[in-house]
Amino acid sequence: MSMENYILNFILPVLTISMLLIFIRVFKGPSLMDRVVALDLLVIVGIGAFSAYAVLYNKQVVIDISLILALIAFLSTVAFTYYYVKGDHEKDKFDMN
Amino acid sequence: MAIYFVLFFLTIGAVFILIASIGLLKMPDIYLRMSASTIAGTFGVASMLVAVAIHFYDFGIFLHIAGVIIFLILTVPVGAHMLGRSSHIIGLPMWHKTVRDDMKDKYDHENHTFKTFKKEGELKNDTKEA
């Protein structure tokens, strides 16, 4: 089995299945913090998918995207949590089952 | 020969990311979900980036990937810590089998401070934050 077949038939489907599981948590998540955790992990899985793409098609340019994605994931998580505490969250607190 | 190292590290990374997503879906509590997703996800992505560095075997690519891995290792625990702090402050419930909670009733919602960090006299004189 060559490298391209292995990446196309094993690595990328595993990453796709994990993205689907994370999306289930995004839609199901009882509170907003669960959705923030899930979106953070989704961006990190996206970095992994880009690195698999870079190995598969032999493109070095794709590596630059991973740094930008890591930056955006960190900044969005910190901004969500920092400003959600300060806001009026009393009405969101009771929609958990 | 280098191809097998690339495929080995890619496999390790993909399996760890799958474990992280299963943990995110199946854990009963936001704190346990956060623990599972951050630790396993960071290790999986670092392993996949190591695979890319072995595949290209170039010094510039190596520096770039080392920067990304160091950035991830530095920032993911900070984000997880802020998520856990915010979740505890807004009062998200823990799992019913949780043994102890040291930060219970330690947060002052009027002054936005933790009681463990302030003395009793200083707590009354603080002005309320905006």
Side-chain angles (χ1 to χ4, degrees):
Chain A
M1 183 184 279
S2 66
M3 189 174 78
E4 287 83 9
N5 276 327
Y6 183 73
I7 292 175
L8 279 176
N9 292 325
F10 181 71
I11 304 288
L12 290 177
V14 165
L15 291 179
T16 311
I17 288 169
S18 51
M19 277 187 186
L20 284 177
L21 295 178
I22 295 166
F23 261 113
I24 290 173
R25 176 52 70 190
V26 170
F27 286 119
K28 221 175 85 175
S31 67
L32 191 138
M33 288 300 166
D34 295 298
R35 296 188 170 99
V36 173
V37 172
L39 289 175
D40 192 12
L41 187 62
L42 190 69
V43 177
I44 287 180
V45 176
I47 297 173
F50 272 118
S51 59
Y53 181 84
V55 173
L56 181 60
Y57 290 108
N58 214 353
K59 290 189 190 309
Q60 294 186 0
V61 190
V62 187
I63 306 301
D64 294 335
I65 303 172
S66 60
L67 187 57
I68 308 297
L69 277 183
L71 256 173
I72 289 173
F74 174 62
L75 280 181
S76 62
T77 305
V78 169
F80 257 117
T81 56
Y82 186 74
Y83 287 110
Y84 188 64
V85 171
K86 292 194 169 188
D88 183 18
H89 50 77
E90 285 297 323
K91 56 183 181 300
D92 299 333
K93 205 162 127 183
F94 298 109
D95 67 346
M96 299 181 301
N97 36 11
Chain B
M1 190 61 202
I3 285 178
Y4 296 108
F5 281 105
V6 171
L7 294 182
F8 175 72
F9 280 112
L10 278 180
T11 310
I12 292 288
V15 169
F16 263 87
I17 285 173
L18 183 65
I19 289 171
S21 61
I22 291 173
L24 183 74
L25 189 61
K26 296 299 286 182
M27 283 288 183
D29 190 2
I30 180 168
Y31 307 99
L32 295 173
R33 274 173 216 148
M34 203 167 51
S35 161
S37 74
T38 51
I39 296 170
T42 309
F43 185 74
V45 169
S47 173
M48 293 189 82
L49 288 170
V50 165
V52 177
I54 295 172
H55 176 71
F56 286 113
Y57 200 66
D58 182 40
F59 187 66
I61 295 293
F62 177 73
L63 278 183
H64 203 112
I65 284 169
V68 175
I69 290 174
I70 289 171
F71 187 79
L72 276 178
I73 289 174
L74 282 180
T75 57
V76 167
V78 176
H81 174 258
M82 285 201 69
L83 269 167
R85 183 181 180 273
S86 306
S87 315
H88 198 279
I89 284 172
I90 68 175
L92 288 181
M94 285 190 175
W95 191 27
H96 60 88
K97 287 182 183 176
T98 306
V99 177
R100 60 183 288 171
D101 182 11
D102 278 338
M103 302 303 284
K104 191 181 179 64
D105 297 331
K106 290 282 180 60
Y107 188 71
D108 190 6
H109 282 278
E110 289 184 357
N111 293 323
H112 294 286
T113 50
F114 279 99
K115 282 178 186 174
T116 50
F117 299 151
K118 296 274 188 181
K119 293 175 184 175
E120 285 297 323
E122 294 174 352
L123 198 61
K124 295 172 184 175
N125 296 327
D126 275 343
T127 57
K128 187 177 180 181
E129 289 186 12

